Each structure stands twice: as structure tokens, then as C-alpha cells.
Amino acid sequence: MRRSLSPVVILRRLCACAAVLAVFAWSTPIATGADVGTERGIKAAFVAKFIGYVDFPATAEPVAGPLVIGVVGADDIAAELARIVATRGGAVRPVTVKRMDADDPLEDVDVLFVGLSEAERAERLLRAAATQGILTITEFDGALRQGSVINFRIVNERVRFEVSLGAAERANLKLSSRLLSVAYHVQRETP
């Protein structure tokens, strides 16, 4: 026999869901002209938000420089990200965006976004990034199997994301439970 939930329990669950969704509300000020209404703009805004929900590997020395988001194969995402982070105020650590080629070294990069145009060469990049504690974000089918931590997908005409806990663990990254709770899919096993 199935028990029905009381109105108080239902209300509490709705409030909890609303709070989680508010985490990803566009509270970050966006520069005039930022194209957040398009798929590319939404992805850029998500990338900017993700960094607040990831604990990066601890280093022996305090980190004084900016958090660097490297972008390979997606100049439009890089441009949107640059606009978004330029207007961020009150961040503990400044954020910069760096356009990169697939063959560029990953030193000084904290987050690596690999665009669809680099899908065929992504596996090498993702493996190298994992050994350096870099958060990897992609936008193509099969990216989690190749080692990406976060991958964008279009589901019912909306931008969603999936997460690989195994890839995060290999990169020594700790992902917030808030981030995981709003993911479309969380892959728990290690591929």
C-alpha cells in the first residue's frame, strides 16, 4: 500500500527543489551584449557558475594568480565567458579566459572547455587535464567515456549537463552536492 504525502512534506520538497534550482539562477551579473539567450551563451554562463561548485586540488603554496579557463575549439564560448567574468564582482580569486589550440600546453589552466569541433582529438586533452587536476567541460556525445568531468547535452530543447564522478576523482576534484543535484545525469561508476 502506498502512503500519500502530507501537504507539509510536499511543500518542503518543493522548497528544497526551488533552492537547488536557485543555485543556478543567473545571479551573476552579465555584461551588456552577452548572448545568454542562445545555447552558446547558456553554456558559457553555466561554465562560469560551475567553478563556484568545485574544490580544486590543494597546492603546497597559496594560489595568488587568477583561475584560468582554457577554451579549445569554441571561440564563441570563449568570447561569452570573457564577457561574463569581466563583470564578476567580489570573487575570491579573479577569473580569466584563455583561447587555446588543441596542441597548447595545459600549464596554468584550471578549467578546460573542449568544444565540439575538437571532439576527435579530445581524449588526449582530457587525459592530460586529469593528471593536472583540471576541471574538464565538453559538449559532445561520448565525452564522459573519454574522461570529461562535465558534459553538456541538449535535452528537450534545453541545455543540460551530465557529470562523471570517476573523472572528477581521477582529477582530484571535489564536486558540490548542489552541482550534482541539478545535473541531468550523474555517472557514479568509473569507466
Side-chain angles (χ1 to χ4, degrees):
M1 183 167 109
R2 191 172 191 193
R3 290 185 348 188
S4 62
L5 298 175
S6 73
V8 172
V9 171
I10 292 171
L11 182 60
R12 283 184 185 156
R13 287 184 180 177
L14 287 173
C15 288
C17 287
V20 168
L21 291 175
V23 166
F24 284 98
W26 306 127
S27 60
T28 301
I30 309 258
T32 305
D35 194 10
V36 295
T38 67
E39 174 188 331
R40 309 307 281 166
I42 291 168
K43 287 178 180 180
F46 265 123
V47 171
K49 284 296 205 180
F50 288 155
I51 60 178
Y53 297 96
V54 176
D55 287 333
F56 291 89
T59 58
E61 302 171 13
V63 180
L67 185 135
V68 178
I69 302 173
V71 180
V72 176
D75 286 345
D76 52 349
I77 296 278
E80 287 300 321
L81 269 168
R83 286 186 202 131
I84 291 168
V85 301
T87 62
R88 265 177 87 147
V92 175
R93 187 174 170 195
V95 178
T96 62
V97 178
K98 178 180 179 182
R99 288 186 175 127
M100 302 175 62
D101 291 323
D103 298 324
D104 288 348
L106 297 176
E107 46 196 52
D108 301 326
V109 173
D110 300 288
V111 178
L112 178 65
F113 182 90
V114 181
L116 181 60
S117 68
E118 292 296 330
E120 290 187 18
R121 298 192 293 178
E123 192 167 0
R124 180 190 58 77
L125 281 167
L126 297 171
R127 271 194 312 245
T131 64
Q132 297 179 45
I134 296 171
L135 172 65
T136 52
I137 304 169
T138 51
E139 61 175 349
F140 47 87
D141 290 338
L144 293 188
R145 285 190 306 274
Q146 291 184 29
S148 181
V149 176
I150 299 174
N151 184 53
F152 287 114
R153 297 187 58 185
I154 303 300
V155 178
N156 296 328
E157 299 179 19
R158 293 181 185 242
V159 176
R160 302 282 190 229
F161 64 93
E162 55 190 354
V163 176
S164 170
L165 292 179
E169 186 177 302
R170 283 189 296 282
N172 199 23
L173 300 168
K174 291 187 176 88
L175 306 179
S176 164
S177 60
R178 289 183 177 182
L179 176 74
L180 298 176
S181 69
V182 294
Y184 171 73
H185 172 74
V186 177
Q187 180 179 303
R188 299 192 185 282
E189 67 279 348
T190 305

